């Protein structure tokens, strides 16, 4: 199972701030290979982002202080917008997606 990552953003509708919290999976893709005499090569594969869960919050103003009960599932059209927006794609691809096992929560006593 691929690791999940998180993306937070917000947008304005009039004077209202809408917080967006997205959980997604990421695969880095691969660069193109020009080939050689014995290998035909292959084109570049772009990074792939799949949104697993997207939630909205129209009550709170800040991600750090937002209450759990104020989040609700985003409509399907927002998944599509996030998946097709090039600025969101570039921003997510620019994040650090390395796995750091030392930061995993361990519930041992």
């Amino acid at each position: 199972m691929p690791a999940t990552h998180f993306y937070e953003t917000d947008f304005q509708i009039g004077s209202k701030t809408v917080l967006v919290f997205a959980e997604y999976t990421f695969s880095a893709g691969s660069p193109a290979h020009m080939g050689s005499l014995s290998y035909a090569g292959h084109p570049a594969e772009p990074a792939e982002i799949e949104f697993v869960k997207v939630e909205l919050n129209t009550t709170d103003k800040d991600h750090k202080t937002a209450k759990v009960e104020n989040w609700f599932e985003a409509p399907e059209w927002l998944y599509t917008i996030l998946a097709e927006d090039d600025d969101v794609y570039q921003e997510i691809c620019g994040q650090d997606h390395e796995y750091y096992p030392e930061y995993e929560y361990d519930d041992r006593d």
Side-chain angles (χ1 to χ4, degrees):
M1 180 171 184
T4 57
H5 305 278
F6 306 100
Y7 174 70
E8 296 175 340
T9 191
D10 59 64
F11 60 91
Q12 292 288 127
I13 298 179
S15 62
K16 189 80 160 168
T17 299
V18 179
L19 302 177
V20 179
F21 178 81
E23 182 177 347
Y24 66 93
T25 59
F26 178 82
S27 65
S30 64
H33 187 282
M34 297 306 290
S36 64
L37 293 175
S38 60
Y39 176 67
H42 61 267
E45 293 290 327
E48 290 184 26
I49 299 168
E50 180 180 343
F51 289 97
V52 178
K53 179 170 64 170
V54 179
E55 294 181 327
L56 299 175
N57 181 331
T58 58
T59 306
D60 300 310
K61 301 276 186 221
D62 185 10
H63 283 279
K64 293 178 181 155
T65 59
K67 295 179 179 146
V68 174
E69 62 268 14
N70 293 336
W71 292 96
F72 57 93
E73 184 73 23
E76 195 63 37
W77 58 263
L78 188 59
Y79 284 77
T80 304
I81 288 172
L82 288 172
E84 294 177 358
D85 187 284
D86 192 52
D87 290 336
V88 171
Y89 178 82
Q90 294 300 329
E91 186 176 346
I92 289 175
C93 288
Q95 293 181 9
D96 182 9
H97 291 99
E98 290 295 317
Y99 173 65
Y100 298 101
E102 64 270 19
Y103 293 114
E104 288 293 315
Y105 177 74
D106 191 3
D107 197 13
R108 288 183 277 169
D109 291 322

